[in-house]
Amino acid sequence: MAKITAAEVNKLRKTTGAGMMDCKKALVEAEGDFEQAIEILRKKGQKVAAKRADRESSEGAAIAKVNGDNTQGVVISLNCETDFVAKNDTFVKLANDLADLALGFDDKDSFLAASIDGISVNEKLTEQTGVIGEKIEIGSFEKLNAPFVGSYIHAGNKIATLVGLSANVDGAAEAAKDVAMQAAAMNPVALNEDGVDQSIIDKEIEIAKDQLRTEGKPEDMLDKIAQGKLKRFFKDNTLVNQAFIKDSKQSVAQYVKSVDSSLEVAGFARVALG
């Protein structure tokens, strides 16, 4: 049997992230062959992943990243099964490393096929499933391009947002962060009225009409009153129309225009866990 040194075990641990005992067992099984030991650990990850495929992975870390010139951002979630793992420093570092990589891709599928540490992101997730012992997957992937993109990650990595502005003007960085915090806190359903899905509008009108009928309002008045309630829904639930959380006397759109009269919110993305 090949003699396995502590240095070899440590090298394998640093390469794969697996525990010391798992690394030693893999090296013993591989008779000291480093590459074969890595393959043994990956196969272990595949077995664990297969066993845990039907588990719910609703915990994890939501991470937003923006490129150097603030014209592009990505927000992803690295999902796991328990909050204990989600708070682990190694897990959070992996989430950040993956988010950095994700900046270079336009969609989730191409990102999952991308290379990290000599293997695909998909294979890396399987490998780390074996290391950690929980189902790990990329839950969300959102990309945003705009003349200026800012980001915000809420404490604990449970919510991450991106906001795009129509121009890179003085004060854009602070404005983008403020609006990104707004999106995190207030969870808008869309940027503005035009972005609200028709099914949501139909549902809100029907809810309003049912409430009005319960209150005894005449049938011929229901449409008009329901439209008024719909306007209130838009005000509360679309980002640019919401009251700005730092100054409720103005809307988000008005706040942005106070930074620069031509400035508008061009888009946003929000990912939340738990």
Side-chain angles (χ1 to χ4, degrees), residues 174-211:
E174 184 179 356
K177 185 174 181 180
D178 281 342
V179 180
M181 289 175 68
Q182 172 94 20
M186 302 306 292
N187 192 18
V189 298
L191 177 65
N192 52 34
E193 298 95 319
D194 294 340
V196 180
D197 191 90
Q198 188 60 45
S199 64
I200 295 175
I201 294 173
D202 293 342
K203 183 179 178 182
E204 288 302 315
I205 289 175
E206 199 52 48
I207 290 171
K209 285 183 176 180
D210 286 344
Q211 289 174 341

Side-chain angles (χ1 to χ4, degrees), residues 4-12 20 27:
I4 308 302
T5 68
E8 289 171 325
V9 173
N10 195 42
K11 181 184 175 185
L12 184 59
M20 295 291 277
L27 281 164

Side-chain angles (χ1 to χ4, degrees), residues 46-74:
Q46 290 168 1
K47 289 177 183 176
V48 175
K51 286 180 181 177
R52 306 191 77 82
D54 60 346
R55 297 293 184 108
E56 187 176 343
S57 58
S58 57
E59 295 293 342
I63 306 292
K65 296 282 183 175
V66 177
N67 66 354
D69 59 4
N70 288 91
T71 57
Q72 191 176 82
V74 68

Side-chain angles (χ1 to χ4, degrees), residues 3-58:
K3 180 172 170 56
I4 308 302
T5 68
E8 289 171 325
V9 173
N10 195 42
K11 181 184 175 185
L12 184 59
R13 184 187 66 79
K14 286 182 178 178
T15 302
T16 64
M20 295 291 277
M21 288 305 298
D22 286 336
C23 288
K24 185 174 181 180
K25 286 177 184 176
L27 281 164
V28 168
E29 186 178 337
E31 297 182 345
D33 186 309
F34 190 78
E35 293 302 322
Q36 191 180 338
I38 291 175
E39 191 60 32
I40 288 166
L41 288 171
R42 284 185 184 148
K43 285 180 179 176
K44 180 193 173 193
Q46 290 168 1
K47 289 177 183 176
V48 175
K51 286 180 181 177
R52 306 191 77 82
D54 60 346
R55 297 293 184 108
E56 187 176 343
S57 58
S58 57

Side-chain angles (χ1 to χ4, degrees), residues 3-269:
K3 180 172 170 56
I4 308 302
T5 68
E8 289 171 325
V9 173
N10 195 42
K11 181 184 175 185
L12 184 59
R13 184 187 66 79
K14 286 182 178 178
T15 302
T16 64
M20 295 291 277
M21 288 305 298
D22 286 336
C23 288
K24 185 174 181 180
K25 286 177 184 176
L27 281 164
V28 168
E29 186 178 337
E31 297 182 345
D33 186 309
F34 190 78
E35 293 302 322
Q36 191 180 338
I38 291 175
E39 191 60 32
I40 288 166
L41 288 171
R42 284 185 184 148
K43 285 180 179 176
K44 180 193 173 193
Q46 290 168 1
K47 289 177 183 176
V48 175
K51 286 180 181 177
R52 306 191 77 82
D54 60 346
R55 297 293 184 108
E56 187 176 343
S57 58
S58 57
E59 295 293 342
I63 306 292
K65 296 282 183 175
V66 177
N67 66 354
D69 59 4
N70 288 91
T71 57
Q72 191 176 82
V74 68
V75 57
I76 69 165
S77 67
L78 180 62
N79 292 29
C80 59
E81 295 175 33
T82 65
D83 193 45
F84 177 77
V85 166
K87 290 177 178 176
N88 181 278
D89 288 345
T90 303
F91 181 85
V92 174
K93 182 183 183 302
L94 177 62
N96 274 280
D97 289 346
L98 289 170
D100 284 330
L101 180 64
L103 260 176
F105 298 88
D106 291 329
D107 58 72
K108 185 175 174 179
D109 287 343
S110 59
F111 165 57
L112 289 174
S115 178
I116 182 171
D117 298 335
I119 54 177
S120 71
V121 170
N122 251 331
E123 289 169 331
K124 185 70 173 178
L125 296 172
T126 300
E127 174 193 272
Q128 291 304 301
T129 293
V131 170
I132 294 170
E134 286 192 8
K135 180 180 180 179
I136 296 171
E137 61 183 350
I138 298 296
S140 299
F141 179 104
E142 300 283 345
K143 198 76 180 281
L144 186 65
N145 296 283
F148 189 92
V149 178
S151 65
Y152 172 72
I153 302 174
H154 192 61
N157 303 311
K158 294 302 182 188
I159 305 173
T161 53
L162 297 170
V163 162
L165 299 178
S166 61
N168 186 354
V169 297
D170 286 343
E174 184 179 356
K177 185 174 181 180
D178 281 342
V179 180
M181 289 175 68
Q182 172 94 20
M186 302 306 292
N187 192 18
V189 298
L191 177 65
N192 52 34
E193 298 95 319
D194 294 340
V196 180
D197 191 90
Q198 188 60 45
S199 64
I200 295 175
I201 294 173
D202 293 342
K203 183 179 178 182
E204 288 302 315
I205 289 175
E206 199 52 48
I207 290 171
K209 285 183 176 180
D210 286 344
Q211 289 174 341
L212 293 166
R213 288 188 185 102
T214 303
E215 293 167 10
K217 294 289 191 294
E219 196 70 25
D220 59 355
M221 292 178 62
L222 295 188
D223 280 329
K224 185 176 181 180
I225 302 174
Q227 287 300 322
K229 285 182 176 288
L230 183 62
K231 286 182 180 179
R232 179 68 197 188
F233 174 82
F234 287 148
K235 185 177 185 299
D236 291 341
N237 293 281
T238 58
L239 181 58
V240 297
N241 294 308
Q242 286 179 336
F244 182 43
I245 53 175
K246 287 189 171 182
D247 177 7
S248 60
K249 292 179 181 176
Q250 59 181 339
S251 68
V252 169
Q254 288 168 334
Y255 160 66
V256 169
K257 287 203 176 296
S258 75
V259 176
D260 185 284
S261 59
S262 66
L263 198 60
E264 296 180 348
V265 183
F268 81 100

